[in-house]
Amino acid sequence: MHEARHGQPLSSELLLLVGAGEGTPVLPASGEQQRRPIGVVLADEASSVAAKPAAGSRWCFSDAVESDPAGRDFARSTDCCTLRWTPAKGRHATATREISRGRVLLRASAAAVASTAASGAATALLAESSGRDGAAASADAQRVGLDASTLALSLELLRSGREAAEEAAGSLLTHREHLSAAEAEAWERTAQRLRSAAASSGGSGCSCASGWSDEAVLRLLLAVHANAHPVLDDATASRTVGLGLFPAACLLNHSCAPTGVLSFEAGGKVLVVRALVDLRRGQEVTYSYLDEPHLFAPWRQRRALLRAAHRYEPSQPRSREESEAAALCRSRLPAAALGELEAEVRALCSEAAAAAEEAEEAAARGDGPLAPSAEERLGSACEAVHSLLEGRLLQAAHPAHWLAHDCLAALSRAARALGDPERLAYASMRLIAAREQVMPLGTPGLATLYASHGSALVRLLRAGRFSAAGSAEALGQAEQSLAAACSIRASCLGDEHPLVAATARALADVRQRRRQRAGGAT
């Protein structure tokens, strides 16, 4: 993960360096036996790279990959992709042949996974170990953006033993060279506390922590922070259940127009990358480091998030640049007025999200029907967002403007929590149209929107909310939406995923209802 440098010099920790000085030969002299590059390297690429200095040293990519644990793990995890290196992208993966959408590109095993339950235990362990230093430990963690999940995963790797942990994380980027002096000191203190905490819990299987130096723990902690993946549940592929380190997947770069999509199997122990589009031979395999809502944010926001979280200078794909320009072209508001409208959108969407979250948590607890106060709060939030969207925003901006995305996403979530199928059908269909204008990719989030639209129409049909002619049209739209959801989910998650099976059952029910209606009409 995070290999891209986009023309910037690569640090010496990107790959294992061969030789250290300007006078150190890298390629063997004429007549000497050359070391055979493994299959992930093209000979001409290795030669061209080896002839140039990188970060003050000379090195040979083929030699580096042979001794790179992440590179070896990658080679074991795929039969249709290869690793390459360029100054602009660093290590990155490309397709070795033409690949159809939905095909598995990579099946990466976890070096370690920490469940969400383990996060609380890890935080408690560090606090107990810190003692009176607890406030300082908390301040350091806040300064560097260290969350409980990263801490728990680092502890899991420490428990696996130094050899296994360094095999998993030793060749991954740490972004240490980008830290400020204050950040570096905070990380160093945190690593010392983590090592002490691991050593003090030796009775729980952490006796191996005694083999670690503070420097080794620091590097491990930074590598986990830079490369770990949130793990989603197997059943719905939407709920975060932990954090994992998957070395092979860490070599894939980000794109705001991704060609791959992630899912998880075996209780989060296996990360699977599938083709999101039909890939050409030699085309790069990428995925989005941003979650799906942020992937549709304006470029200035995406760039700021990527810079802050992943310490590199991202580039905007031309397709996204063009779609964003098109979404801006119809704006009839001056910049100052648009800024005021944006602030209002943010406030209303935040309130809608908070109201929906309250209702979702109550439903998860099994509290039964919504309390009147919660129902009133959700209804007011839905009405306010809907009114702003129709009354002002869509009168002044393009339907695919990112503020429209935000309003529609907030309205869709709140309507689902409220159990309002009419608003849900409206918001989900509008959001589908907006997202497909910005980026026409069959993502898991788009599948959810199609499924929401289809199921909302079915609920309205069951409630008798359509005329006879309207019912026929609504059934047709429900079938189309559920068919799209089923197809996208099969491509992103695999044909055997339980979410695909559930969507297929809903689609079969709608088709049966259409057949019955057609039979009754004749």
Side-chain angles (χ1 to χ4, degrees):
M1 193 185 291
H2 328 312
E3 294 286 347
R5 283 292 177 273
H6 300 281
Q8 299 300 315
L10 297 171
S11 74
S12 57
E13 72 175 359
L14 285 182
L15 294 171
L16 300 176
L17 302 182
V18 178
E22 194 66 17
T24 304
V26 177
L27 294 179
S30 177
E32 294 182 4
Q33 182 180 2
Q34 294 202 20
R35 188 175 299 179
R36 179 178 60 83
I38 62 174
V40 296
V41 183
L42 298 179
D44 59 343
E45 183 182 50
S47 298
S48 65
V49 170
K52 300 177 181 179
S57 300
R58 291 180 179 272
W59 55 275
C60 179
F61 182 49
S62 59
D63 291 346
V65 173
E66 284 183 335
S67 56
D68 175 10
R72 292 197 301 269
D73 188 34
F74 182 92
R76 290 191 296 265
S77 302
T78 182
D79 62 358
C80 59
C81 298
T82 186
L83 281 182
R84 297 177 67 97
W85 182 93
T86 65
K89 296 180 178 179
R91 289 178 294 187
H92 60 284
T94 61
T96 57
R97 57 180 181 269
E98 291 186 354
I99 299 172
S100 300
R101 181 172 66 96
R103 167 81 155 78
V104 173
L105 303 172
L106 186 74
R107 199 177 293 274
S109 297
V113 175
S115 68
T116 51
S119 300
T123 303
L125 178 63
L126 187 65
E128 182 182 349
S129 175
S130 301
R132 295 180 179 178
D133 196 31
S138 178
D140 281 341
Q142 186 173 3
R143 177 187 293 274
V144 299
L146 176 65
D147 58 22
S149 299
T150 301
L151 185 64
L153 182 56
S154 300
L155 275 171
E156 287 294 327
L157 285 161
L158 281 171
R159 288 172 175 145
S160 71
R162 182 166 181 177
E163 182 177 352
E166 291 190 341
E167 173 77 10
S171 63
L172 300 179
L173 297 183
T174 64
H175 305 308
R176 189 173 184 175
E177 68 275 19
H178 298 296
L179 299 177
S180 67
E183 287 174 328
E185 291 173 0
W187 275 113
E188 288 167 4
R189 291 190 294 268
T190 301
Q192 292 166 3
R193 296 185 187 106
L194 180 61
R195 178 172 173 266
S196 298
S200 68
S201 63
S204 301
C206 269
S207 57
C208 57
S210 60
W212 290 79
S213 64
D214 288 341
E215 172 63 25
V217 174
L218 172 61
R219 198 189 187 291
L220 175 68
L221 193 56
L222 289 171
V224 170
H225 185 258
N227 292 281
H229 288 84
V231 175
L232 302 180
D233 67 301
D234 287 358
T236 70
S238 62
R239 190 168 50 87
T240 301
V241 294
L243 192 70
L245 187 68
F246 305 85
C250 295
L251 304 184
L252 301 181
N253 280 340
H254 164 84
S255 175
C256 289
T259 59
V261 62
L262 309 186
S263 62
F264 296 87
E265 297 177 356
K269 294 179 181 177
V270 176
L271 182 154
V272 181
V273 183
R274 288 182 171 83
L276 195 53
V277 297
D278 292 336
L279 289 166
R280 305 180 307 275
R281 183 172 183 262
Q283 187 173 355
E284 186 177 3
V285 176
T286 60
Y287 73 99
S288 174
Y289 292 179
L290 303 172
D291 60 18
E292 206 161 319
H294 285 125
L295 185 57
F296 289 90
W299 171 235
R300 58 182 172 81
Q301 291 182 15
R302 284 180 280 130
R303 180 172 56 187
L305 287 169
L306 290 165
R307 281 173 169 173
H310 302 290
R311 307 279 186 166
Y312 83 105
E313 184 58 43
S315 61
Q316 167 86 310
R318 178 172 295 180
S319 60
R320 295 299 306 274
E321 186 177 351
E322 291 172 351
S323 66
E324 188 165 318
L328 285 171
C329 70
R330 252 185 53 184
S331 177
R332 290 187 279 273
L333 287 175
L338 190 62
E340 293 176 4
L341 185 58
E342 181 174 1
E344 191 172 350
V345 167
R346 296 278 177 261
L348 290 178
C349 289
S350 294
E351 168 59 19
E357 185 174 3
E358 180 184 1
E360 290 161 358
E361 290 175 351
R365 292 192 302 267
D367 291 352
L370 280 175
S373 59
E375 186 173 355
E376 182 180 356
R377 184 186 182 191
L378 263 176
S380 297
C382 282
E383 185 60 40
V385 173
H386 197 171
S387 177
L388 176 64
L389 182 71
E390 289 289 346
R392 295 169 57 196
L393 182 58
L394 293 180
Q395 303 302 316
H398 192 282
H401 193 281
W402 58 83
L403 292 179
H405 283 247
D406 289 350
C407 279
L408 289 165
L411 182 58
S412 178
R413 181 182 179 186
R416 186 183 298 109
L418 185 60
D420 183 344
E422 187 171 354
R423 274 209 173 99
L424 180 57
Y426 161 87
S428 56
M429 194 68 254
R430 286 257 188 174
L431 189 53
I432 287 168
R435 289 198 169 177
E436 288 189 336
Q437 286 187 61
V438 170
M439 189 173 61
L441 287 179
T443 61
L446 189 66
T448 298
L449 289 173
Y450 271 116
S452 294
H453 181 251
S455 61
L457 289 176
V458 169
R459 288 185 62 188
L460 290 170
L461 283 162
R462 288 174 177 163
R465 301 283 288 276
F466 296 102
S467 64
S471 294
E473 183 180 350
L475 268 174
Q477 288 187 15
E479 181 181 1
Q480 291 175 15
S481 290
L482 290 171
C486 197
S487 175
I488 294 170
R489 283 174 167 167
S491 293
C492 294
L493 304 172
D495 292 332
E496 305 303 318
H497 195 277
L499 206 54
V500 177
T503 312
R505 288 193 297 271
L507 176 59
D509 288 344
V510 169
R511 285 175 171 167
Q512 175 66 17
R513 187 164 180 165
R514 288 196 76 188
R515 285 193 294 269
Q516 291 173 348
R517 184 179 183 85
T522 59

